[in-house]
mmCIF file with all atom_site columns, all heavy atoms in Angstrom:
data_model
loop_
_atom_site.group_PDB
_atom_site.id
_atom_site.type_symbol
_atom_site.label_atom_id
_atom_site.label_alt_id
_atom_site.label_comp_id
_atom_site.label_asym_id
_atom_site.label_entity_id
_atom_site.label_seq_id
_atom_site.pdbx_PDB_ins_code
_atom_site.Cartn_x
_atom_site.Cartn_y
_atom_site.Cartn_z
_atom_site.occupancy
_atom_site.B_iso_or_equiv
_atom_site.pdbx_formal_charge
_atom_site.auth_seq_id
_atom_site.auth_comp_id
_atom_site.auth_asym_id
_atom_site.auth_atom_id
_atom_site.pdbx_PDB_model_num
ATOM 1   N N   . ALA A 1 56 ? -8.703  -13.178 -25.505 1.00 0.00 ? 56 ALA A N   1
ATOM 2   C CA  . ALA A 1 56 ? -8.789  -14.203 -26.578 1.00 0.00 ? 56 ALA A CA  1
ATOM 3   C C   . ALA A 1 56 ? -8.973  -13.514 -27.850 1.00 0.00 ? 56 ALA A C   1
ATOM 4   O O   . ALA A 1 56 ? -8.447  -13.889 -28.915 1.00 0.00 ? 56 ALA A O   1
ATOM 5   C CB  . ALA A 1 56 ? -9.993  -15.103 -26.207 1.00 0.00 ? 56 ALA A CB  1
ATOM 6   N N   . ARG A 1 57 ? -9.748  -12.427 -27.811 1.00 0.00 ? 57 ARG A N   1
ATOM 7   C CA  . ARG A 1 57 ? -10.000 -11.661 -29.099 1.00 0.00 ? 57 ARG A CA  1
ATOM 8   C C   . ARG A 1 57 ? -8.750  -11.044 -29.645 1.00 0.00 ? 57 ARG A C   1
ATOM 9   O O   . ARG A 1 57 ? -8.408  -11.179 -30.783 1.00 0.00 ? 57 ARG A O   1
ATOM 10  C CB  . ARG A 1 57 ? -11.133 -10.607 -28.922 1.00 0.00 ? 57 ARG A CB  1
ATOM 11  C CG  . ARG A 1 57 ? -12.583 -11.065 -28.958 1.00 0.00 ? 57 ARG A CG  1
ATOM 12  C CD  . ARG A 1 57 ? -13.585 -9.997  -29.055 1.00 0.00 ? 57 ARG A CD  1
ATOM 13  N NE  . ARG A 1 57 ? -13.491 -9.049  -27.926 1.00 0.00 ? 57 ARG A NE  1
ATOM 14  C CZ  . ARG A 1 57 ? -14.126 -9.248  -26.704 1.00 0.00 ? 57 ARG A CZ  1
ATOM 15  N NH1 . ARG A 1 57 ? -14.776 -10.413 -26.529 1.00 0.00 ? 57 ARG A NH1 1
ATOM 16  N NH2 . ARG A 1 57 ? -13.961 -8.354  -25.736 1.00 0.00 ? 57 ARG A NH2 1
ATOM 17  N N   . ALA A 1 58 ? -7.956  -10.519 -28.656 1.00 0.00 ? 58 ALA A N   1
ATOM 18  C CA  . ALA A 1 58 ? -6.736  -9.862  -29.025 1.00 0.00 ? 58 ALA A CA  1
ATOM 19  C C   . ALA A 1 58 ? -5.785  -10.805 -29.642 1.00 0.00 ? 58 ALA A C   1
ATOM 20  O O   . ALA A 1 58 ? -4.905  -10.535 -30.572 1.00 0.00 ? 58 ALA A O   1
ATOM 21  C CB  . ALA A 1 58 ? -6.092  -9.082  -27.845 1.00 0.00 ? 58 ALA A CB  1
ATOM 22  N N   . LEU A 1 59 ? -5.839  -12.089 -29.117 1.00 0.00 ? 59 LEU A N   1
ATOM 23  C CA  . LEU A 1 59 ? -4.858  -13.079 -29.537 1.00 0.00 ? 59 LEU A CA  1
ATOM 24  C C   . LEU A 1 59 ? -5.024  -13.363 -30.952 1.00 0.00 ? 59 LEU A C   1
ATOM 25  O O   . LEU A 1 59 ? -4.045  -13.777 -31.654 1.00 0.00 ? 59 LEU A O   1
ATOM 26  C CB  . LEU A 1 59 ? -5.070  -14.399 -28.648 1.00 0.00 ? 59 LEU A CB  1
ATOM 27  C CG  . LEU A 1 59 ? -4.062  -15.287 -28.355 1.00 0.00 ? 59 LEU A CG  1
ATOM 28  C CD1 . LEU A 1 59 ? -2.751  -14.487 -27.860 1.00 0.00 ? 59 LEU A CD1 1
ATOM 29  C CD2 . LEU A 1 59 ? -4.456  -16.290 -27.332 1.00 0.00 ? 59 LEU A CD2 1
ATOM 30  N N   . ARG A 1 60 ? -6.173  -13.233 -31.653 1.00 0.00 ? 60 ARG A N   1
ATOM 31  C CA  . ARG A 1 60 ? -6.396  -13.563 -32.924 1.00 0.00 ? 60 ARG A CA  1
ATOM 32  C C   . ARG A 1 60 ? -5.561  -12.715 -33.917 1.00 0.00 ? 60 ARG A C   1
ATOM 33  O O   . ARG A 1 60 ? -5.315  -13.038 -34.970 1.00 0.00 ? 60 ARG A O   1
ATOM 34  C CB  . ARG A 1 60 ? -7.846  -13.476 -33.281 1.00 0.00 ? 60 ARG A CB  1
ATOM 35  C CG  . ARG A 1 60 ? -8.600  -14.610 -32.700 1.00 0.00 ? 60 ARG A CG  1
ATOM 36  C CD  . ARG A 1 60 ? -10.115 -14.817 -33.410 1.00 0.00 ? 60 ARG A CD  1
ATOM 37  N NE  . ARG A 1 60 ? -10.911 -15.415 -32.323 1.00 0.00 ? 60 ARG A NE  1
ATOM 38  C CZ  . ARG A 1 60 ? -11.922 -14.826 -31.746 1.00 0.00 ? 60 ARG A CZ  1
ATOM 39  N NH1 . ARG A 1 60 ? -12.206 -13.618 -31.870 1.00 0.00 ? 60 ARG A NH1 1
ATOM 40  N NH2 . ARG A 1 60 ? -12.630 -15.430 -30.836 1.00 0.00 ? 60 ARG A NH2 1
ATOM 41  N N   . ASP A 1 61 ? -5.310  -11.364 -33.346 1.00 0.00 ? 61 ASP A N   1
ATOM 42  C CA  . ASP A 1 61 ? -4.520  -10.462 -34.200 1.00 0.00 ? 61 ASP A CA  1
ATOM 43  C C   . ASP A 1 61 ? -3.123  -10.326 -33.677 1.00 0.00 ? 61 ASP A C   1
ATOM 44  O O   . ASP A 1 61 ? -2.452  -9.363  -34.072 1.00 0.00 ? 61 ASP A O   1
ATOM 45  C CB  . ASP A 1 61 ? -5.178  -9.160  -34.129 1.00 0.00 ? 61 ASP A CB  1
ATOM 46  C CG  . ASP A 1 61 ? -6.554  -9.129  -34.828 1.00 0.00 ? 61 ASP A CG  1
ATOM 47  O OD1 . ASP A 1 61 ? -6.757  -9.839  -35.791 1.00 0.00 ? 61 ASP A OD1 1
ATOM 48  O OD2 . ASP A 1 61 ? -7.450  -8.482  -34.316 1.00 0.00 ? 61 ASP A OD2 1
ATOM 49  N N   . VAL A 1 62 ? -2.628  -11.258 -32.916 1.00 0.00 ? 62 VAL A N   1
ATOM 50  C CA  . VAL A 1 62 ? -1.390  -11.135 -32.296 1.00 0.00 ? 62 VAL A CA  1
ATOM 51  C C   . VAL A 1 62 ? -0.263  -11.259 -33.147 1.00 0.00 ? 62 VAL A C   1
ATOM 52  O O   . VAL A 1 62 ? 0.924   -10.919 -32.853 1.00 0.00 ? 62 VAL A O   1
ATOM 53  C CB  . VAL A 1 62 ? -1.276  -11.990 -30.980 1.00 0.00 ? 62 VAL A CB  1
ATOM 54  C CG1 . VAL A 1 62 ? -0.705  -13.312 -31.384 1.00 0.00 ? 62 VAL A CG1 1
ATOM 55  C CG2 . VAL A 1 62 ? -0.439  -11.253 -29.883 1.00 0.00 ? 62 VAL A CG2 1
ATOM 56  N N   . ASN A 1 63 ? -0.520  -11.614 -34.465 1.00 0.00 ? 63 ASN A N   1
ATOM 57  C CA  . ASN A 1 63 ? 0.555   -11.597 -35.399 1.00 0.00 ? 63 ASN A CA  1
ATOM 58  C C   . ASN A 1 63 ? 0.901   -10.202 -35.946 1.00 0.00 ? 63 ASN A C   1
ATOM 59  O O   . ASN A 1 63 ? 2.022   -10.047 -36.420 1.00 0.00 ? 63 ASN A O   1
ATOM 60  C CB  . ASN A 1 63 ? 0.084   -12.516 -36.757 1.00 0.00 ? 63 ASN A CB  1
ATOM 61  C CG  . ASN A 1 63 ? -1.210  -11.900 -37.186 1.00 0.00 ? 63 ASN A CG  1
ATOM 62  O OD1 . ASN A 1 63 ? -2.188  -11.667 -36.479 1.00 0.00 ? 63 ASN A OD1 1
ATOM 63  N ND2 . ASN A 1 63 ? -1.323  -11.683 -38.588 1.00 0.00 ? 63 ASN A ND2 1
ATOM 64  N N   . ARG A 1 64 ? 0.028   -9.314  -35.618 1.00 0.00 ? 64 ARG A N   1
ATOM 65  C CA  . ARG A 1 64 ? 0.244   -7.861  -35.918 1.00 0.00 ? 64 ARG A CA  1
ATOM 66  C C   . ARG A 1 64 ? 0.776   -7.119  -34.744 1.00 0.00 ? 64 ARG A C   1
ATOM 67  O O   . ARG A 1 64 ? 0.413   -7.466  -33.633 1.00 0.00 ? 64 ARG A O   1
ATOM 68  C CB  . ARG A 1 64 ? -0.966  -7.136  -36.423 1.00 0.00 ? 64 ARG A CB  1
ATOM 69  C CG  . ARG A 1 64 ? -1.719  -7.832  -37.706 1.00 0.00 ? 64 ARG A CG  1
ATOM 70  C CD  . ARG A 1 64 ? -0.807  -7.540  -39.008 1.00 0.00 ? 64 ARG A CD  1
ATOM 71  N NE  . ARG A 1 64 ? -1.575  -8.136  -40.131 1.00 0.00 ? 64 ARG A NE  1
ATOM 72  C CZ  . ARG A 1 64 ? -0.993  -7.907  -41.419 1.00 0.00 ? 64 ARG A CZ  1
ATOM 73  N NH1 . ARG A 1 64 ? 0.158   -7.415  -41.464 1.00 0.00 ? 64 ARG A NH1 1
ATOM 74  N NH2 . ARG A 1 64 ? -1.629  -8.492  -42.400 1.00 0.00 ? 64 ARG A NH2 1
ATOM 75  N N   . TYR A 1 65 ? 1.550   -6.026  -34.956 1.00 0.00 ? 65 TYR A N   1
ATOM 76  C CA  . TYR A 1 65 ? 1.917   -5.185  -33.844 1.00 0.00 ? 65 TYR A CA  1
ATOM 77  C C   . TYR A 1 65 ? 0.623   -4.516  -33.294 1.00 0.00 ? 65 TYR A C   1
ATOM 78  O O   . TYR A 1 65 ? -0.328  -4.205  -34.072 1.00 0.00 ? 65 TYR A O   1
ATOM 79  C CB  . TYR A 1 65 ? 2.844   -4.064  -34.312 1.00 0.00 ? 65 TYR A CB  1
ATOM 80  C CG  . TYR A 1 65 ? 4.234   -4.521  -34.504 1.00 0.00 ? 65 TYR A CG  1
ATOM 81  C CD1 . TYR A 1 65 ? 4.832   -4.504  -35.763 1.00 0.00 ? 65 TYR A CD1 1
ATOM 82  C CD2 . TYR A 1 65 ? 5.028   -4.766  -33.495 1.00 0.00 ? 65 TYR A CD2 1
ATOM 83  C CE1 . TYR A 1 65 ? 6.106   -4.866  -36.019 1.00 0.00 ? 65 TYR A CE1 1
ATOM 84  C CE2 . TYR A 1 65 ? 6.409   -5.189  -33.606 1.00 0.00 ? 65 TYR A CE2 1
ATOM 85  C CZ  . TYR A 1 65 ? 6.959   -5.236  -34.912 1.00 0.00 ? 65 TYR A CZ  1
ATOM 86  O OH  . TYR A 1 65 ? 8.280   -5.688  -35.016 1.00 0.00 ? 65 TYR A OH  1
ATOM 87  N N   . PRO A 1 66 ? 0.710   -4.192  -31.964 1.00 0.00 ? 66 PRO A N   1
ATOM 88  C CA  . PRO A 1 66 ? -0.519  -3.619  -31.382 1.00 0.00 ? 66 PRO A CA  1
ATOM 89  C C   . PRO A 1 66 ? -0.596  -2.147  -31.741 1.00 0.00 ? 66 PRO A C   1
ATOM 90  O O   . PRO A 1 66 ? 0.317   -1.541  -32.287 1.00 0.00 ? 66 PRO A O   1
ATOM 91  C CB  . PRO A 1 66 ? -0.184  -3.775  -29.851 1.00 0.00 ? 66 PRO A CB  1
ATOM 92  C CG  . PRO A 1 66 ? 1.219   -3.765  -29.732 1.00 0.00 ? 66 PRO A CG  1
ATOM 93  C CD  . PRO A 1 66 ? 1.786   -4.400  -31.033 1.00 0.00 ? 66 PRO A CD  1
ATOM 94  N N   . ASP A 1 67 ? -1.836  -1.543  -31.332 1.00 0.00 ? 67 ASP A N   1
ATOM 95  C CA  . ASP A 1 67 ? -1.958  -0.095  -31.488 1.00 0.00 ? 67 ASP A CA  1
ATOM 96  C C   . ASP A 1 67 ? -0.928  0.623   -30.712 1.00 0.00 ? 67 ASP A C   1
ATOM 97  O O   . ASP A 1 67 ? -0.985  0.583   -29.553 1.00 0.00 ? 67 ASP A O   1
ATOM 98  C CB  . ASP A 1 67 ? -3.379  0.315   -31.108 1.00 0.00 ? 67 ASP A CB  1
ATOM 99  C CG  . ASP A 1 67 ? -3.589  1.797   -31.065 1.00 0.00 ? 67 ASP A CG  1
ATOM 100 O OD1 . ASP A 1 67 ? -2.776  2.600   -31.625 1.00 0.00 ? 67 ASP A OD1 1
ATOM 101 O OD2 . ASP A 1 67 ? -4.657  2.255   -30.555 1.00 0.00 ? 67 ASP A OD2 1
#
Side-chain angles (χ1 to χ4, degrees):
R57 280 192 301 277
L59 210 45
R60 290 195 204 110
D61 293 323
V62 87
N63 56 312
R64 301 288 185 181
Y65 282 113
D67 173 11

